[in-house]
């Protein structure tokens, strides 16, 4: 018999909550998991078979770590690509492929990829510094994004006028026309090396304006079928063009006139898919494992309506985390708690999430509002 | 704020698959888990925060282990009760309570408890050896059960006539009238220290006659509502009489004339509740944690029909486990794999289970038969 998933060692670059939830699924397949993370107290620390504290951006550290695994994946894009390319050359399976991570790491290259592949996206211009920005042809207000290392709202700012340019990033960036969107949505698509693809039903997101983080997510969307199909088609188009192995989260805008524009990509489990753990037949974490191990992809349909609430560290609290209101929210039926094993909280730190499942969409939303009002991460 | 679940250390006696699935849930609550098991390669080894290899029946080992935890639970009944009683005296929380484990450890005392509390059960007689058995007033054929240490079909035999008595156990045992049952069923009930109780919907079991193990389980049952209510009422009656904290699995027979007789109890997560992980709003593992930490109990309703298939080691195979047919069964929608992290297989060893979820009961059963025919644990 060929080597089986249960014989293989999975190396994960990054030991945060995404790695943690991936490991929770990997346990079901007897997978041996190795994790590399620079934080000695990372969320994966106690549940990986082997946890290694070290830099995920350093060539030697990543290379030596990868040598110990049979198949390597990521839970964050900011990793050393050269080491992954070398490992791939030496015959290790690296999924998503290093060339995909390289493309997505750089929002400028990502945007160019959209343009070359006729993927609808907001008009943009690459810039190299303040001078370029001053000479941009895109009119105010617009969005300025650092090409690399931005995440969870970091490295993104709105430029309302010429005076804001003083605060602009000094790093290579891109300017993007402001999209007057009605809703942010996401579709997660999975693709295995056989080329099988399956999309999760489209979800709707609500953002915390202050932190620029997903705060609230509703699955499935209630947009008309044709809009949902269009979004799913775009996700499949991108996964095909990338020839990706693994899952790919595609964040999109629906504009006020019903157009869909792609915002950005994440080639890994993503915050917009957490509700799949309870709300769908297969979770995004299980699906990612199935994809990278070239197994049949799972059933992505929803079991019920679900709403995901991110548990962010409360403003004004910095220290050992406490979860006020936990018992109250647990007394509500269909409420699932996911704490990420982080000892310390700070304002807007992602400390966990809560999924609410209910056959009735309005009830699920109502319960989610209650969870948001009741459960607080304090110190 | 009072101490929270996320601050507490949970000690688990036994590191098998039940402990493993309990830890998979405990991760969601940031619980620190300590596990004691005599097998250095037990299924919990790599996922407990701290795994200790040692005897769970030795007083000193259990006592010293328990001192390190804030709250102690079990995943198997055969543990040192005296050590748990001492820990309880010293203020540790031990759930289920040692007196409950003591009662359930001994099938003779369990049967007497049923009798004293008007719980319907098959007529029985306690016996102390072959002589007693020969003088028994219960007529052939009957069931002979060792009072202690029997599990998964071990310590149970059918006595068809006088010649079988030669093979009888030399240990304290009980003789039980053979029940001409139509179906074996189970109800899992949870009770927290506040006295809140919730039952999972009744499930139907099918046994492997050769191994006397649950092989196949269907949730929910399709017996008439009045039978289901009767079974749930019995489970609540027992949990109340025991004043138990934690979950309690109540295995019962439905006789051909519609009576319900209690077979036996397990004061912990149980094989008859594995399908709750995917098939119900809350899983038996989550519910057990909620109960022992005195949190609100979760919603036990089913999300869909589910069928659980135990993955037993194939006859004639003894060695490093391989899972033949894994890819084929994973290509069926709604199929969930749970491997238990056991390196070696042997005939009838519980190596994992598979849950099949489908909105249509007949389809779920059909898929389960396919899984049974296709997925084999070989060496």
């Amino acid at each position: 018999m060929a080597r089986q998933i249960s014989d293989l060692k999975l190396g994960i670059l990054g030991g945060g909550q995404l790695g943690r939830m991936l490991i929770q699924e990997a346990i079901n397949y007897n997978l041996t998991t190795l994790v590399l993370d620079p934080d000695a107290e990372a969320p994966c620390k106690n549940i990986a078979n082997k946890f290694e504290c070290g830099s995920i951006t350093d060539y030697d550290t990543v290379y030596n770590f990868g040598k110990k695994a049979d198949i390597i994946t990521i839970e964050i894009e900011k990793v050393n690509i050269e080491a992954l390319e070398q490992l791939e050359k030496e015959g290790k399976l690296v999924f998503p492929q290093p060339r995909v991570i390289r493309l997505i790491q750089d929002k400028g290259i990502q945007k160019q990829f959209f343009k070359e592949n006729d993927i609808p996206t907001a008009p943009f211009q690459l810039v190299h510094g303040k001078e370029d920005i001053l000479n941009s042809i895109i009119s105010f207000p617009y969005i300025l994004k650092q090409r690399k290392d931005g995440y969870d709202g970091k490295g993104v700012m709105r430029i309302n006028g010429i005076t804001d340019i003083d605060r602009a990033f000094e790093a290579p960036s891109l300017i993007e026309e402001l999209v007057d969107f009605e809703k942010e949505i996401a579709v997660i698509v999975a693709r295995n090396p056989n080329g099988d693809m399956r999309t999760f039903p489209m979800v709707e997101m609500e953002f915390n304006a202050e932190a620029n983080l997903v705060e609230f997510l509703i699955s499935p969307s209630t947009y008309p079928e044709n809009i949902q199909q269009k979004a799913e088609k775009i996700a499949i188009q991108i996964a095909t063009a990338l020839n990706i192995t693994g899952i790919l989260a595609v964040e999109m805008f629906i504009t006020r006139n019903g157009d869909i524009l792609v915002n950005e990509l994440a080639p890994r489990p993503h915050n917009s898919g957490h509700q799949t753990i309870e709300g769908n037949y297969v979770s995004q974490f299980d699906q990612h494992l199935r994809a990278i191990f070239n197994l049949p992809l799972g059933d992505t349909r929803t079991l019920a309506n679900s709403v995901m609430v991110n548990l962010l560290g409360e403003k004004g609290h910095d220290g050992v985390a406490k979860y006020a209101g936990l018992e109250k929210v647990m007394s509500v039926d269909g409420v699932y708690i996911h704490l990420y094993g982080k000892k310390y909280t700070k304002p807007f730190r992602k400390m966990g999430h809560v999924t609410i499942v209910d056959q009735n969409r309005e009830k699920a939303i109502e319960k989610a509002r209650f969870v948001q009002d009741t459960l607080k991460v304090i110190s």
Side-chain angles (χ1 to χ4, degrees), chain A residues 5-293:
Chain A
I5 180 169
S6 58
D7 299 328
L8 299 171
K9 287 197 189 102
L10 174 65
I12 306 169
L13 294 179
Q17 60 266 19
L18 299 171
R20 185 173 164 101
M21 291 185 270
L22 193 64
I23 291 174
Q24 278 177 287
E25 284 289 352
I27 293 169
N28 291 327
Y29 295 111
N30 279 1
L31 261 177
T32 300
T33 52
L34 318 175
V35 169
L36 179 67
D37 194 284
D39 177 2
E41 296 301 325
C44 288
K45 186 197 170 190
N46 288 308
I47 62 168
N49 291 61
K50 198 167 171 299
F51 177 80
E52 218 176 292
C53 183
S55 167
I56 55 175
T57 53
D58 176 68
Y59 181 94
D60 289 336
T61 312
V62 170
Y63 176 77
N64 291 325
F65 171 80
K67 292 291 274 182
K68 295 170 212 155
D70 300 301
I71 171 163
I72 299 147
T73 193
I74 58 166
E75 60 116 53
I76 180 168
E77 289 88 61
K78 200 188 167 187
V79 294
N80 188 291
I81 305 281
E82 291 72 25
L84 292 179
E85 283 170 338
Q86 184 56 33
L87 289 161
E88 200 181 38
K89 254 184 225 156
E90 295 178 19
K92 296 286 182 190
L93 298 172
V94 185
F95 296 133
Q97 301 93 322
R99 62 170 176 77
V100 173
I101 308 172
R102 186 186 282 285
L103 185 151
I104 290 175
Q105 261 188 357
D106 184 327
K107 287 179 186 168
I109 302 182
Q110 212 184 117
K111 288 290 271 189
Q112 283 173 320
F113 164 82
F114 295 152
K115 208 171 157 184
E116 285 158 17
N117 288 274
D118 293 320
I119 313 287
T121 191
F124 69 100
Q125 183 185 341
L126 303 186
V127 290
H128 298 279
K130 283 181 193 164
E131 193 145 342
D132 260 16
I133 299 174
L134 281 166
N135 294 327
S136 153
I137 50 162
I138 295 181
S139 53
F140 299 119
Y142 54 69
I143 299 292
L144 180 69
K145 285 183 179 174
Q146 234 174 265
R147 287 176 56 172
K148 286 196 171 188
D149 305 343
Y151 69 97
D152 279 355
K154 293 181 188 82
V156 177
M157 61 188 292
R158 184 186 161 125
I159 304 284
N160 289 315
I162 204 149
T163 53
D164 285 344
I165 296 177
D166 280 350
R167 299 184 293 115
F169 311 117
E170 268 311 338
S173 302
L174 68 94
I175 291 175
E176 197 176 65
E177 265 185 22
L178 197 67
V179 178
D180 183 24
F181 62 87
E182 186 174 270
K183 190 67 82 179
E184 291 206 48
I185 58 159
V187 170
I188 293 177
V189 57
R191 189 175 173 284
N192 68 16
N194 283 350
D196 303 331
M197 278 187 273
R198 266 175 123 160
T199 54
F200 282 93
M202 171 178 141
V203 301
E204 299 173 13
M205 290 180 281
E206 284 186 26
F207 278 71
N208 176 311
E210 191 173 357
N212 196 21
L213 277 174
V214 178
E215 191 172 53
F216 206 91
L217 181 144
I218 306 171
S219 163
S221 168
T222 48
Y223 267 90
E225 199 49 34
N226 67 318
I227 300 257
Q228 299 202 37
Q229 278 170 0
K230 202 158 127 188
E232 284 169 24
K233 220 175 127 189
I234 290 171
I236 286 175
Q237 188 189 349
I238 297 173
T240 308
L242 287 173
N243 204 16
I244 191 176
T245 291
I247 63 172
L248 178 76
V250 182
E251 293 186 88
M252 295 173 264
F253 300 113
I254 299 190
T255 66
R256 301 211 181 272
N257 42 30
D259 288 333
I260 294 179
L261 297 174
V262 174
N263 182 15
E264 56 188 58
L265 308 177
R268 51 164 172 82
H270 187 256
N271 206 153
S272 63
H274 288 356
Q275 80 296 342
T276 57
I277 297 174
E278 293 92 2
N280 298 60
Y281 275 89
V282 78
S283 80
Q284 65 166 340
F285 301 99
D286 189 1
Q287 196 77 316
H288 186 61
L289 294 175
R290 287 168 179 253
I292 66 177
F293 284 95

